[in-house]
Amino acid sequence: MILCPMPRTVLVVDDDPHIRQLLVFALQKAGLDTIEAADGEAGLELAGVHGPNLVILDINMPRMDGLEVCRRLRAAGAPGGGDVPILFLSSRDDEIDRVLGIELGADDYVVKPFSPREVVARVMAILRRTSARPPAIEDGRDLEHGRLRLDLDGWRALWGDAEVTLTVTEFSILRLLASMPAKVFSRDAIIDRLHGPGFAITDRTIDSHIRNLRHKFAAIGCADLIDTRPGIGYRLGTCTGG
């Protein structure tokens, strides 16, 4: 197993002590620091205190479920939340739950029962995207297209002078599209660029992230952020505000 090259803290929130123990052991073996909580309220409090680099959230929990914890973490100004990457765990293999989790701002989703190695692989993939430097071809410069500007070093998306808060996955997708604005990317190509070939994630998950991006930019006047090419995929829109 490849060890994490620098300290990273993962918050594991699950009411099942066996699952917490299993995940904590696997994550620590991969070189990650961990903290854990047995319910949603405790998890939300720990996120505010410790500011973890990633949160693993069970959906079905007492006192406060994972969906509500995600909502509060994603709320503007939430301590320890904001754009922290979130990975959902759930025993419900239901596409509605999966899509809802993504639409609330989760970066990935794993269904129980799962392999600890799979969870660690997904965590590491998300953390790599969080800490990765832009490709050398971009030469550290911002990406600009129309009124859209991506601050690659600061992981910030701006529409004119207004900053748009994005999750790690949302920013990564937008950066990919903006790096080659004339290119149409299939859903599989987007998954491969973000996670690597063969990574198990559904097309609907990418659609949900695209929908989130459109919604966030539409709220500040951008109705042409991303174009859909039916049967093919997505490419960056004109980004002029039309």
Side-chain angles (χ1 to χ4, degrees):
M1 181 178 293
I2 299 175
L3 298 182
C4 186
M6 60 187 300
R8 287 284 188 264
T9 300
V10 177
L11 169 60
V12 180
V13 189
D14 195 301
D15 62 318
D16 187 328
H18 174 68
I19 289 179
R20 292 202 310 275
Q21 182 181 27
L22 198 65
L23 288 176
V24 165
F25 176 79
L27 292 165
Q28 290 179 347
K29 188 177 179 181
L32 297 163
D33 296 328
T34 61
I35 49 180
E36 55 183 289
D39 62 68
E41 288 185 359
L44 194 61
E45 182 178 353
L46 286 175
V49 171
H50 296 279
N53 301 102
L54 184 142
V55 179
I56 297 177
L57 268 180
D58 183 31
I59 286 185
N60 295 313
M61 290 187 295
R63 302 182 68 182
M64 184 187 297
D65 67 22
L67 295 176
E68 180 59 26
V69 174
C70 183
R71 285 189 187 97
R72 298 194 184 193
L73 285 174
R74 288 289 179 251
D83 59 356
V84 62
I86 294 173
L87 172 69
F88 267 131
L89 302 176
S90 177
S91 57
R92 296 180 292 184
D93 189 9
D94 189 324
E95 187 176 39
I96 293 176
D97 295 325
R98 184 182 300 112
V99 172
L100 177 58
I102 296 297
E103 288 180 346
L104 287 174
D107 292 88
D108 208 344
Y109 189 112
V110 176
V111 176
K112 300 177 183 178
F114 53 78
S115 161
R117 290 175 63 88
E118 178 190 2
V119 175
V120 170
R122 289 173 182 261
V123 166
M124 299 299 264
I126 294 171
L127 291 176
R128 281 195 298 272
R129 294 204 305 276
T130 307
S131 60
R133 296 184 61 84
I137 192 172
E138 291 167 3
D139 197 27
R141 294 190 296 268
D142 294 350
L143 286 176
E144 297 187 33
H145 185 76
R147 295 181 60 191
L148 172 69
R149 180 166 66 88
L150 298 182
D151 173 4
L152 301 178
D153 289 332
W155 283 76
R156 298 189 308 144
L158 299 104
W159 178 254
D161 295 326
E163 182 172 353
V164 183
T165 301
L166 303 180
T167 68
V168 173
T169 301
E170 290 164 0
F171 185 89
S172 298
I173 291 173
L174 192 55
R175 182 177 70 176
L176 172 62
L177 298 181
S179 68
M180 290 179 275
K183 179 178 175 61
V184 179
F185 290 88
S186 69
R187 293 168 179 83
D188 286 343
I190 293 173
I191 293 170
D192 288 349
R193 294 295 187 99
L194 265 59
H195 298 281
F199 200 83
I201 189 172
T202 67
D203 289 352
R204 287 294 302 274
T205 299
I206 296 299
D207 292 342
S208 294
H209 287 308
I210 295 291
R211 187 160 52 248
N212 286 351
L213 282 165
R214 284 172 169 160
H215 176 74
K216 289 180 178 182
F217 277 86
I220 58 171
C222 174
D224 57 350
L225 179 71
I226 297 172
D227 289 338
T228 299
R229 292 302 175 93
I232 304 174
Y234 300 104
R235 77 171 183 180
L236 197 66
T238 56
C239 297
T240 60

